[in-house]
Amino acid sequence: MTSTASAAPVDQKLRCDAARNRERVLAAAMELYREHGGAFTVEEVASRAGVGIGTVYRRFPTKNALLDELARPFFEQLLATAQAARAHPRPAERLEVFIRSMAEQHAATGVRSGRLWDTALARPLRDQYQRTVELILADARDGGRVRPDVDVYDVGVVIWTVGGLIDATGRAAEVIWRRHLDLVLDGLRPGGHTSPTTRPIQQSDWEALVVAAPALRLG
Amino acid sequence: MTSTASAAPVDQKLRCDAARNRERVLAAAMELYREHGGAFTVEEVASRAGVGIGTVYRRFPTKNALLDELARPFFEQLLATAQAARAHPRPAERLEVFIRSMAEQHAATGVRSGRLWDTALARPLRDQYQRTVELILADARDGGRVRPDVDVYDVGVVIWTVGGLIDATGRAAEVIWRRHLDLVLDGLRPGGHTSPTTRPIQQSDWEALVVAAPALRLG
DNA sequence: CACAAAAGCGGAATCGCATTCCGGTTATCG
DNA sequence: CGATAACCGGAATGCGATTCCGCTTTTGTG
């Protein structure tokens, strides 16, 4: 699947009432998202926004497109996060700070930097983001804080992977992802390890993960 | 959500025709699973099995329960894998062998050891499995091949996490999970690192991950 | 073997949701 | 002010999973 739609002609030349409705829909959706995290009906969005379903659909071709749109602001925040990390005083620590704050942000907002990468509007952001990450990585490398063979993709995978843990355990068991991230970050360093700051995972934490993973792939 | 149902009274005292049908359904489902990987209809299962939908549902309260049932044999295989690793000649290497073969098996069969853990029938297997993992871990620790602070849960999380990558990228980009696993395994070791055997990840590999992750959590 | 329950059966009917359609409305522009 | 393209609302569709229920076998018994 290529990035369906989302190449939506931004919010240009919309009839003013249409524009207003678009905002209402977005606002309603955001509200619902905060309340139920994606588990809401398009009809609910419509009624809360005080418009008909058709209206929602003329503006957003699909529920997913709507969600993507919701994610955009958070996504811009991600870029900001990367740039903030880049500004960290000790260059060598920037990579770790970066990865940690990405995770932290994901945990706080529930937004993962997945599909969005692929949308037209996000492209410029994406390029900037990637460039920033390269720089951060270079800093860490210069400072001797990463194994020289670690590249941007490795970093991306780590973030993706921890993102999965965050999605799966969320509030229920933060330790799980924190502890794992500590271990992985240790693993990325060139030399020995420093001791992680987290407590070990416990049976009760683990349950959350077990329940979250279906035994068979569904797609 | 606690393990819904699945405490099904095994395949005991079923009217013989019922038992036959149950097998047919299971067989049909397995066929379909191999063909479409979970993306099939309960009606398809029914018709391929030559029974009515109702029949499927009387035996398996939900499509998911059916899938869980399908997974069982694979799951037993997982235990076998653990035990095989335990039998590896060099004790110190058992942990790594274990983790690697778990991933390998997941990649090959598409079965992840998630929800199943929680079912009544799986419990005895699970206990055995956990005990085995403890032993493997102890071996590695004695051999000085893992940081002393790594425990069973850490191992579990690594397997879960790599499982996520496998599900997401599958055939499309094996490098991703292999490379990541190499890095993580390196990270679990107490001392320095050995160089991984995989090639670095490339843009084209990465795409797979990007597309696989939705921007917003849906549950 | 006959017979009443118990256990099964098929598949139509429901339900929840996303997505599509279409006849009626309203900004906008000349 | 009139034409019309852009909008609207919300009923209708489509698709799956899951439920229901009247009819059929199996099974246990006498």
Side-chain angles (χ1 to χ4, degrees):
Chain A
M1 281 127 237
T2 31
S3 86
T4 340
S6 272
V10 203
D11 30 45
Q12 309 232 280
K13 35 198 147 190
L14 273 188
R15 221 168 75 174
C16 91
D17 55 341
R20 184 166 357 102
N21 282 334
R22 184 175 193 280
E23 290 317 312
R24 283 185 184 159
V25 167
L26 238 25
M30 181 60 91
E31 244 180 74
L32 284 165
Y33 180 73
R34 290 193 199 288
E35 287 170 30
H36 309 95
F40 55 80
T41 292
V42 176
E43 285 196 300
E44 290 181 290
V45 176
S47 83
R48 176 148 344 180
V51 304
I53 317 207
T55 303
V56 176
Y57 273 95
R58 192 161 336 78
R59 219 50 69 194
F60 307 95
T62 189
K63 180 181 180 181
N64 244 310
L66 176 55
L67 285 174
D68 281 356
E69 203 57 34
L70 279 194
R72 180 153 310 154
F74 294 107
F75 187 66
E76 285 166 359
Q77 183 60 37
L78 290 185
L79 175 57
T81 298
Q83 290 172 327
R86 174 97 177 91
H88 185 91
R90 282 181 291 281
E93 293 173 25
R94 285 175 188 163
L95 181 63
E96 186 164 328
V97 167
F98 166 64
I99 297 181
R100 284 213 142 88
S101 39
M102 288 295 280
E104 220 62 68
Q105 196 177 330
H106 176 172
T109 63
V111 178
R112 206 167 159 184
S113 55
R115 184 173 298 152
L116 219 45
W117 278 127
D118 216 14
T119 64
L121 246 193
R123 182 135 315 131
L125 284 181
R126 182 187 66 178
D127 292 341
Q128 234 185 308
Y129 175 88
Q130 287 207 352
R131 229 171 300 128
T132 307
V133 177
E134 302 262 21
L135 292 175
I136 292 175
L137 191 53
D139 289 337
R141 207 178 277 133
D142 291 348
R145 296 296 283 282
V146 241
R147 311 165 35 153
D149 65 322
V150 167
D151 63 24
V152 233
Y153 293 119
D154 293 321
V155 173
V157 172
V158 167
I159 293 176
W160 188 95
T161 265
V162 173
L165 280 177
I166 294 176
D167 276 354
T169 63
R171 278 292 150 62
E174 297 210 338
V175 222
I176 288 199
W177 67 262
R178 289 185 191 284
R179 160 77 178 170
H180 182 71
L181 183 51
D182 279 340
L183 281 180
V184 171
L185 286 179
D186 275 1
L188 294 184
R189 300 206 185 85
H193 314 283
T194 65
S195 32
T197 56
T198 39
R199 67 166 170 78
I201 300 171
Q202 292 166 358
Q203 175 73 35
S204 55
D205 304 316
W206 177 252
E207 304 284 314
L209 253 201
V210 163
V211 173
L216 292 184
R217 187 187 310 149
L218 290 185
Chain B
M1 281 128 236
T2 30
S3 86
T4 343
S6 273
V10 204
D11 28 47
Q12 308 232 282
K13 36 196 146 190
L14 272 190
R15 226 168 70 174
C16 94
D17 56 341
R20 181 162 4 97
N21 281 336
R22 183 175 193 281
E23 290 317 311
R24 283 185 185 159
V25 167
L26 238 24
M30 181 61 91
E31 246 180 73
L32 284 166
Y33 181 72
R34 290 194 200 286
E35 287 169 32
H36 308 96
F40 55 80
T41 292
V42 176
E43 285 197 295
E44 291 180 291
V45 177
S47 83
R48 173 141 358 174
V51 304
I53 317 204
T55 303
V56 175
Y57 272 95
R58 191 158 339 77
R59 219 48 71 193
F60 307 95
T62 190
K63 182 181 180 182
N64 244 311
L66 176 55
L67 285 175
D68 282 355
E69 202 58 33
L70 279 193
R72 180 153 313 164
F74 294 108
F75 186 67
E76 286 167 357
Q77 183 61 37
L78 290 185
L79 175 57
T81 298
Q83 290 172 328
R86 174 96 176 94
H88 185 89
R90 280 181 293 281
E93 292 173 27
R94 285 173 189 166
L95 181 62
E96 187 163 328
V97 167
F98 166 64
I99 297 181
R100 285 213 142 88
S101 39
M102 287 295 280
E104 221 61 70
Q105 194 177 329
H106 177 173
T109 62
V111 178
R112 204 166 162 187
S113 55
R115 183 171 300 152
L116 219 45
W117 279 124
D118 216 14
T119 63
L121 247 192
R123 181 134 316 131
L125 284 180
R126 182 187 69 177
D127 292 342
Q128 234 185 310
Y129 176 88
Q130 288 208 352
R131 230 171 298 128
T132 307
V133 176
E134 301 264 21
L135 291 175
I136 292 175
L137 190 55
D139 288 337
R141 206 177 278 134
D142 291 348
R145 294 296 283 283
V146 239
R147 312 167 32 155
D149 64 323
V150 168
D151 63 25
V152 234
Y153 292 118
D154 293 321
V155 173
V157 173
V158 167
I159 292 177
W160 188 94
T161 265
V162 173
L165 280 177
I166 294 177
D167 276 353
T169 63
R171 278 290 149 61
E174 297 211 338
V175 224
I176 290 200
W177 67 262
R178 289 186 191 284
R179 161 77 178 170
H180 182 72
L181 184 50
D182 278 341
L183 281 180
V184 172
L185 286 179
D186 275 2
L188 295 185
R189 297 202 189 87
H193 315 284
T194 64
S195 31
T197 56
T198 39
R199 68 166 170 77
I201 299 169
Q202 293 166 358
Q203 175 73 36
S204 56
D205 305 316
W206 178 251
E207 304 284 315
L209 252 201
V210 164
V211 173
L216 293 184
R217 186 188 310 151
L218 292 186

